[in-house]
Each structure stands twice: as C-alpha cells, then as structure tokens.
C-alpha cells in the first residue's frame, strides 16, 4: 500500500499517511505540483516555515519500464518566486518508489538556523537523525563518501551542498549516480536552498531487505507497453545504442545549434561561437577515446536506462575529472563565457557538483560577473576563482550564488538573460522562436525542458518547422502538455525523441502508466493530464502575484539583433498570451 | 565554379576522418550543384544517412542549389537537451 511520508522539521516528527484518493493516480511533477498547490500558500516566503518541499518518484519509476528513474522535487522557488518542479535521474527515484512511498512532504523548519538533520528512510520506516558536523560546510565529493560510509554503499542520497546550507537561490539538489558520485542534479530553481531552510542536509533512502516494490495493477498491459516503448527506444536513431545521444551525449547539440546560429555566445551577443567544435559532444567522445583511463561516453545515470547519454570525462592522465559534461553545462560555462576548453568547463561543472549548484544558472551568472567587469570573456582561471568565492561563502560568493538576476541587480548590468529570475538555457530565442515561447510562458521561469520545441525546430523530430516562424502557439502548447505528462510518468524526457516519431512507442508509454495504475488511458490522456498540471501551476503563480507581464523575455532581446542572422525576438506579446488563453 | 565550405558532424565525420571536429572542407564545385550531388558524388555520403542540412545557418532540403561562398553543415539524426 503506497503512502505519503510527512516530515515536520519544527516538531521533528515523521508520520506515514494514506494517500488521499485524489492523488492516487499521480506521480512525479503531477503530485508535487498538486501537493504544493493544496498545502503551500502562494504568498509564503520560499525559505520560511510556510513553504514545503515535496519529493516524488514518477508513476512507473521503480518498475522495469526503461529509462524511468526520475525523481521530481517541488515547492515554491526562491529563485523565481513561482511554483517549481525540478527532476533528476540518479539512484533515488527507483528506491523511493520501491519502498512504497508516493511522496515525501517536508514542512516547517527548525527554530535554530544552521541546525541540520538527515532523514533516513527504509522498509521499516523513517527517522530524523542529527547531521554530523563532519558532513557540513564542505564539498559533496568529500561529504558523499562519508555518508556512504555511515549508511552503506547501496543507499541513495538526495543531498544539498554548501550552496544549499547557505540558502543560496542557485542551490540545486544532488542525487548520487550508480557509482555513487554526487553528480546528478535536480538543479533548477534553487530548491537546494528550500531543503537547506528546512534544516535537511540529506535524505538517505535504503531499499535493502524486501521492500514492497511498485504494485502493477494490469501486468499484461504494462508488459505490452514496456515492450513497445523499449522497441521504439532501441530503433530510433537518436535514442538507440550507438545512436546520437549514446555516442556523443547531449553535447552533440553544440554543433547543430551553433550552425543554426542559435548558440548563445558571449552572454547572448552572438549566435555562433568560433570555439564551438572544441566543446562539442564529438570532442568529448574523441577526448574520452584518446585519453582513455576512466573516460566513458554512453554512461547511464540510473539503472535501466537504455539510452545512456551520460559521460565520465577524463583528465589528460586518464583519471576522472568529472561526470557529466552535458550540453547545457558546456554551453553555460563554455560559449556563454567565451571559454572553448573542455578541461575548464569540466572543472567548473565539478565545482557545481561539489558546492551544490545548478550549472546553467552558475554559468550564466559567471557571464554576468564578466559583464560587471569582474573577469574577461574566455578567462577560465578567473571563472574558476569566482566559483570558489561561492564555495568560500564570501560576500561576492553570496551574490553569485544567488544567480544571474541578483548579480545583475547588484552590479547594474542590464543585459540579463533571465525569465522570472531564472537563467535562459542554451538556445537563443531570437534565432529559434518556439523555444522562446516556452521560456516566456513557463510556470517555472526560463526552462527548455518545459516544452522542448527544439525537436521539430532544429532536429527534425516530429516533423520539421522553420526556426524563424513566429506562429507556434499550438506547437508550444502541445509540447508543454506532453512534457508535463512525461514529468508525471517518471520517464526521462529524452524518451520523447523516440515516441514523438514512433506512434507505437507513444502508445506503449501510456500503456505502461495505465498498467501500473489500472487506468484505461489512451494517448489523448497525455494532453488532458498535461493541461491539468499546468492549469494548477498557473493558478498558484497567479495567486503568488504573477501576471502575463511576467510571461516575457528580457527586453534587450526585442531590440538587440543576434548575429549571424541579425534577428530580434519578434513573437508578438499577444501570441505569447494566446498559448494559455484558450486553456484558462 | 563556386567555392563552398562543408562541415561534417557526428557520425558523418567518418567520411573525412582526417578532418578535426568542425574543420571545414573547402571545395570547388560546379555552379548550381545541389546538396544531394555534393553529398553523394563529391563526398560519397548517401543522402539517406543525412538528416539535417544547413546552408548559411538555414535548414535546407537536399535539392537545394548551392552558391558561391555557401557554408554547408551536414548532420545525421542527433538530439539532446
Ligand atoms: S537518457 Fe541520459 S539523462 Fe535520461 S535517464 Fe538515461 S542517462 Fe539519464
């Protein structure tokens, strides 16, 4: 029988509750956003006792469904002030689901700031343990091994680093990968600071013994769906073994987005970077092969992934520098800061993993520091030094650790590429209009994963559309709804490449969900459920004070032309407002 | 004749393995040659393995005719995030 674990950090109590009927079918972002809407006041301070943080695995997470190990983490974001769901791969989702826990809701906060606890969850229950001083105030590459020593190598750890302990608005939440690296992140929106504000250093999930597992109501339907989805993933050129993602990782996008003139360079001043090839997935693959040692592409971030898009990047001597050099991270620290060296982007990503920061926000923030005159574009050593300011908790580090928007406010920088306070990721919306619509109207600030229109706009997935076409209302809306459903399912969003092109894979995905829940959903339910999730999230934001005036891109993108196409963001405001006007 | 720069990416690099990642191939080609001819006749790349073609940063089909100074980039199916 699945249940909800409620943890009160004021009273330091843990209690299991039955899952209310209305949440029975929900998983992932669907349930985190619903619990936040039902229990959190939209006007609460994100770091105060009124906010809550909710952890939930997806609908099929913990089953044998392929590539489905996601965990969603929700609450009110200190970075954006909106509702937030951020999800991660790694080891935690599947273990949490197998313990029969539908969601963990953490509320309240300790009377003493700086008082830290660890929540241990296993088949026998849950308890709050005081965090040892030796686990606090240091990098996660030091802390995680200590936690594994204490609790065993086979547990999963959901934890925060120094940035979360210091309540910085760019603090992410870390989940260990299969080799127990602190390398997978529910990074966006500063949810690490919310966890820190609760006095919760880490959640230890131990599924040893004989946990209940995930009940599957209709095993036959589930197996049929799983087979169809797996076949689609193994057949599609992007997701199959030896395909684009598996061979080169997500950074295979560097060259294509660069060729399209949409690869933000020097803080969104250019759409092409002369050093792009040097930070591309092809180069990562070449370096992993040439340097040897631990260098690996085709690494999986959680068990049961058939795509395996991750990597372990080696130093020149073959020893490990970091996992993982992803598209967004090599862009934010690379082209966006004018850096064309994977050894430097690797070190900067390693520091994010160590201090507990989101790489997108951190890289864009370094670019803001460059705008402010604290460093030069292309100066890797200075970028690394600025990251250490965050780790050392200096006053400058506190500014940078609070993200791009705060940094620009402090230093009087106008060219601030954020929406609702969250940094724009690695596609310039002036050159690729649909993703600009996604950034503008997302309930969570600029976020490419909120509606990945790049698939048809750039990659020829689910058809091809012109990158400059501004009338993409239906496309944007459909992608947002489908994405919300995938975020509820527990599947990694990258299955979308296969299921958008292969109808039986799409049907199979829905069948696995129906099989677990005993529902009779069809593919039509994707849009219905997705719309319902977004409607809830928008209602929260409206009550928090957000209006359509917030659904806008940075002003400079409307008048500053982006080379090489010399384009501005020309999607009319009315078009942006139309995406949801039909739905509300 | 026209002069065209071609870049081959991802798995298509195997057709010119001597080139660095992103290194352009400079070619002298007959006027109005189509992308398909460039791929199949000059580079030995079957058009069926090519998913995306950019000419000067715009996506084009393989029947697109090339002009002097064009920058061509060719990709197999790729995706990420
Ligand atoms: S596709 Fe990549 S990010 Fe997604 S589950 Fe697999 S390894 Fe993790």
């Amino acid at each position: 029988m699945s249940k909800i674990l409620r943890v009160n950090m004021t009273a330091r109590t843990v209690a299991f509750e039955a899952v209310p009927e209305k949440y029975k079918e929900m998983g992932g972002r669907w349930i985190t956003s619903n619990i936040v809407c039902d229990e959190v006041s939209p006007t609460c301070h994100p770091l105060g006792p009124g906010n809550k943080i909710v952890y939930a695995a997806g609908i099929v997470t913990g089953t044998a469904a392929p590539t489905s190990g996601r965990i969603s983490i929700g609450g009110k974001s200190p970075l954006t002030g909106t509702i937030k769901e951020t999800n991660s791969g790694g080891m935690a989702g599947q273990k949490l689901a197998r313990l029969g826990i539908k969601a963990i809701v953490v509320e309240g906060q300790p009377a003493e700031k700086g008082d830290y606890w660890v929540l241990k969850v296993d088949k026998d229950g849950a308890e709050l343990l005081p965090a040892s001083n030796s686990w606090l105030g240091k990098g996660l590459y030091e802390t995680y091994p200590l936690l594994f020593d204490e609790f065993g190598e086979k547990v999963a750890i959901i934890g925060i680093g120094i940035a979360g302990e210091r309540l910085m608005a760019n603090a992410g939440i870390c989940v260990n990968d299969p080799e127990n690296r602190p390398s997978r992140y529910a990074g966006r929106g500063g949810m690490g600071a919310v966890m820190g504000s609760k006095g919760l250093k880490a959640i230890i999930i131990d599924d040893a013994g004989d946990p209940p597992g995930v009940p599957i109501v209709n095993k036959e339907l589930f197996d049929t769906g799983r087979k169809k989805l797996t076949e689609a993933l193994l057949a599609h050129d992007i997701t199959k073994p030896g395909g684009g993602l598996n061979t080169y990782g997500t950074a295979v996008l560097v060259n294509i987005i660069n060729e399209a003139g949409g690869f933000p360079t020097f803080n969104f001043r250019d759409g092409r970077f002369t050093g792009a090839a040097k930070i591309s997935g092809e180069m990562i693959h070449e370096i992993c092969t040439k340097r040897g040692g631990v260098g690996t592409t085709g690494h999986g971030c959680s068990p049961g992934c058939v795509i395996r898009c991750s990597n372990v990047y080696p130093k020149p001597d073959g020893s490990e520098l970091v996992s993982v050099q992803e598209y967004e991270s090599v862009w934010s620290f690379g082209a966006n800061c004018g850096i064309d060296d994977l050894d430097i982007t690797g070190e900067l990503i390693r520091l994010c993993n160590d201090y507990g920061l989101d790489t997108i926000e951190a890289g864009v923030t370094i670019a803001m520091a460059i705008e402010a005159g604290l460093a030069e574009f292309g100066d890797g050593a200075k970028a690394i030094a600025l990251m250490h300011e965050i780790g050392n908790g200096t006053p400058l580090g506190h500014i940078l650790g609070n993200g791009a928007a705060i940094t620009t406010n402090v230093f009087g920088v106008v060219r601030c590429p954020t929406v609702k306070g969250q940094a724009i990721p690695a596609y310039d919306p002036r050159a690729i209009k649909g993703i600009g619509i996604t950034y503008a109207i997302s309930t969570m600030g600029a976020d490419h994963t909120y509606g990945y229109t790049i698939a048809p706009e750039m990659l020829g997935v689910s058809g091809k559309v012109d990158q400059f076409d501004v009338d993409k209302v239906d496309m944007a809306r459909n992608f947002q709804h489908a994405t919300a459903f995938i975020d509820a399912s527990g599947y990694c969003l990258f299955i979308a490449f296969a299921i958008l092109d292969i109808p039986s894979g799409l049907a199979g995905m829905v069948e696995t969900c129906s099989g677990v829940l005993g529902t009779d959903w069809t593919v039509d339910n994707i849009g219905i459920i997705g719309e319902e999730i977004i409607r809830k999230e928008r209602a929260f934001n409206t009550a928090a004070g957000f209006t359509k005036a917030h659904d806008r891109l940075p002003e400079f993108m409307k008048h500053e032309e982006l080379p090489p196409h010399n384009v501005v963001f020309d999607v009319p405001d009315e078009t942006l407002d139309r995406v949801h006007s039909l739905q509300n | 004749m026209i002069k065209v720069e071609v870049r081959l990416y991802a798995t298509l690099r195997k057709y010119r393995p001597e080139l660095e990642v992103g290194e352009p191939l400079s070619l002298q080609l007959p006027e109005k040659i189509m992308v398909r001819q460039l791929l199949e006749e000059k580079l030995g790349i079957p058009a069926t393995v090519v998913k995306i073609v950019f000419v000067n940063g715009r996506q084009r089909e393989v029947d697109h005719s090339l002009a002097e100074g064009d920058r061509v980039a060719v990709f197999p199916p790729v995706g990420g995030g």
Side-chain angles (χ1 to χ4, degrees):
Chain A
M1 199 51 198
S2 112
K3 47 208 180 230
I4 287 177
L5 171 58
R6 190 171 293 275
V7 181
N8 188 304
M9 299 304 296
T10 311
R12 283 206 291 282
T13 53
V14 297
F16 285 97
E17 300 170 355
V19 178
E21 192 59 35
K22 62 179 177 176
Y23 297 154
K24 283 254 154 76
E25 289 174 359
M26 297 181 185
R29 173 177 163 193
W30 194 6
I31 191 166
T32 64
S33 285
N34 268 271
I35 292 177
V36 172
C37 284
D38 291 346
E39 299 191 13
V40 175
S41 164
T43 53
C44 76
H45 193 292
L47 303 180
N51 198 6
K52 302 192 183 190
I53 182 165
V54 185
Y55 307 78
I59 294 167
V60 302
T61 305
T63 69
T67 312
S68 64
R70 306 303 285 190
I71 185 161
S72 288
I73 302 176
K76 177 171 172 172
S77 159
L79 188 73
T80 63
T82 64
I83 196 166
K84 172 63 66 176
E85 182 265 359
T86 172
N87 63 66
S88 175
M91 299 300 289
Q94 291 160 328
K95 289 183 191 288
L96 185 65
R98 286 182 193 136
L99 286 174
I101 296 174
K102 193 148 187 105
I104 302 176
V105 182
V106 179
E107 57 195 27
Q109 72 190 178
E112 294 284 324
K113 201 173 165 186
D115 198 7
Y116 277 99
W117 300 82
V118 167
L119 174 68
K120 168 123 196 298
V121 188
D122 59 26
K123 71 174 191 348
D124 298 321
E127 56 181 332
L128 278 169
L129 307 167
S132 154
N133 273 334
S134 65
W135 304 337
L136 300 172
K138 53 178 73 154
L140 291 180
Y141 285 102
E142 208 178 329
T143 303
Y144 266 47
L146 296 175
L147 290 169
F148 284 114
D149 279 351
E150 178 79 18
F151 296 103
E153 296 291 319
K154 296 218 163 104
V155 301
I157 303 176
I158 303 172
I160 56 167
I162 292 173
E165 290 177 30
R166 297 199 179 117
L167 312 189
M168 292 172 174
N170 182 28
I173 296 179
C174 182
V175 179
N176 59 298
D177 79 354
E179 294 79 39
N180 289 347
R181 295 181 188 87
S183 59
R184 309 305 304 191
Y185 268 83
R188 304 224 73 192
M191 293 308 292
V194 180
M195 192 163 164
S197 75
K198 303 290 175 214
L200 193 55
K201 173 67 181 174
I203 301 176
I204 311 293
I205 304 171
D206 185 351
D207 66 344
D210 196 14
V214 177
I216 298 176
V217 175
N218 184 340
K219 185 82 170 58
E220 203 181 329
L221 183 63
F222 174 81
D223 284 336
T224 309
R226 178 171 63 105
K227 193 156 167 285
K228 288 201 268 192
L229 174 59
T230 306
E231 279 168 5
L233 294 173
L234 295 176
H236 195 279
D237 285 321
I238 294 178
T239 54
K240 70 187 183 186
L245 270 170
N246 180 251
T247 308
Y248 302 107
T250 56
V252 72
L253 287 182
V254 167
N255 286 314
I256 190 163
I257 306 302
N258 190 59
E259 288 294 340
F263 193 52
T265 299
F266 303 129
N267 186 29
F268 293 80
R269 277 197 177 70
D270 203 328
R272 280 219 187 110
F273 182 46
T274 46
K278 290 195 189 161
I279 54 170
S280 65
E282 290 92 324
M283 190 62 91
I284 292 169
H285 181 260
E286 193 165 295
I287 287 175
C288 284
T289 310
K290 278 196 182 145
R291 289 184 180 172
V294 301
T296 323
T297 50
H299 173 255
C301 83
S302 66
C305 178
V306 301
I307 303 174
R308 304 174 70 89
C309 76
S310 176
N311 54 52
V312 180
Y313 182 87
K315 294 179 188 168
D317 66 3
S319 65
E320 181 170 329
L321 176 60
V322 74
S323 176
V324 45
Q325 299 243 35
E326 286 205 68
Y327 174 63
E328 292 293 338
S329 315
V330 300
W331 160 77
S332 69
F333 287 122
N336 199 46
C337 292
I339 292 170
D340 65 358
D341 183 337
L342 284 167
D343 291 343
I344 292 174
T345 61
E347 174 62 13
L348 290 161
I349 295 164
R350 200 188 66 77
L351 291 172
C352 283
N353 288 350
D354 204 27
Y355 297 148
L357 294 160
D358 176 45
T359 56
I360 298 177
E361 193 70 35
V364 173
T365 304
I366 297 296
M368 296 306 101
I370 294 170
E371 293 277 350
L374 299 174
E376 304 274 333
F377 284 113
D379 187 346
K382 194 70 216 239
I384 289 169
L386 288 170
M387 289 293 292
H388 285 307
E389 297 274 343
I390 303 177
N392 293 333
T394 63
L396 175 59
H398 267 272
I399 295 168
L400 300 174
N402 273 282
I406 294 279
T407 302
T408 55
N409 285 347
V410 171
F411 290 103
V413 173
V414 175
R415 297 181 77 267
C416 173
T418 60
V419 181
K420 300 184 182 82
Q422 182 166 284
I424 293 182
Y427 313 87
D428 197 302
R430 288 165 289 184
I432 313 170
K433 311 292 184 187
I435 201 70
I437 299 176
T438 295
Y439 295 157
I441 66 175
S442 151
T443 50
M444 316 201 186
D447 178 358
H448 59 297
T449 69
Y450 187 84
Y452 194 66
T453 60
I454 296 300
E457 292 186 287
M458 287 285 121
L459 309 174
V461 171
S462 80
K464 276 190 188 182
V465 300
D466 185 338
Q467 69 192 85
F468 297 115
D469 180 6
V470 296
D471 191 14
K472 289 173 176 156
V473 168
D474 290 338
M475 190 182 88
R477 187 191 300 116
N478 291 340
F479 266 90
Q480 291 176 11
H481 292 168
T483 303
F485 183 87
I486 293 176
D487 288 344
S489 71
Y491 285 109
C492 173
L493 191 52
F494 294 153
I495 69 160
F497 296 114
I499 65 177
L500 286 171
D501 278 341
I502 304 174
S504 62
L506 182 71
M509 189 262 297
V510 176
E511 284 160 9
T512 58
C513 295
S514 281
V516 167
L517 298 168
T519 54
D520 52 6
W521 293 344
T522 67
V523 292
D524 292 338
N525 289 85
I526 296 173
I528 296 167
I529 292 168
E531 179 175 348
E532 183 192 321
I533 294 168
I534 289 174
R535 190 194 303 271
K536 272 255 169 190
E537 292 170 350
R538 284 180 65 83
F540 183 95
N541 288 352
T542 303
F546 286 85
T547 69
K548 62 187 181 185
H550 299 92
D551 289 349
R552 298 291 181 261
L553 294 191
E555 189 187 16
F556 78 88
M557 292 187 169
K558 283 189 171 182
H559 57 76
E560 192 182 297
E561 290 186 351
L562 180 77
H565 294 298
N566 301 323
V567 280
V568 298
F569 188 70
D570 53 358
V571 177
D573 290 349
E574 301 73 55
T575 303
L576 299 176
D577 296 339
R578 211 146 39 85
V579 178
H580 288 300
S581 62
L582 298 177
Q583 146 177 325
N584 282 350
Chain B
M1 298 291 276
I2 55 171
K3 199 173 153 221
V4 169
E5 266 190 1
V6 186
R7 289 171 173 81
L8 305 176
Y9 289 112
T11 45
L12 302 182
R13 290 185 59 224
K14 72 172 182 227
Y15 292 94
R16 284 292 181 279
E18 69 280 9
L19 296 177
E20 300 286 319
V21 183
E23 186 183 341
L25 192 63
S26 269
L27 295 172
Q28 296 284 341
L29 301 170
E31 310 255 334
K32 298 222 171 79
I33 183 174
M34 287 198 297
V35 172
R36 179 195 302 279
Q37 292 170 285
L38 161 67
L39 294 173
E40 296 193 333
E41 293 164 22
K42 305 289 171 189
L43 298 169
I45 306 176
T48 47
V49 303
V50 172
K51 173 88 176 178
I52 308 276
V53 176
F54 284 97
V55 180
N56 302 325
R58 297 296 307 259
Q59 287 204 24
R60 301 292 183 197
E61 299 303 318
V62 286
D63 58 2
H64 181 83
S65 300
L66 297 173
E68 171 65 26
D70 277 349
R71 171 179 174 142
V72 181
V74 197
F75 293 86
V78 294

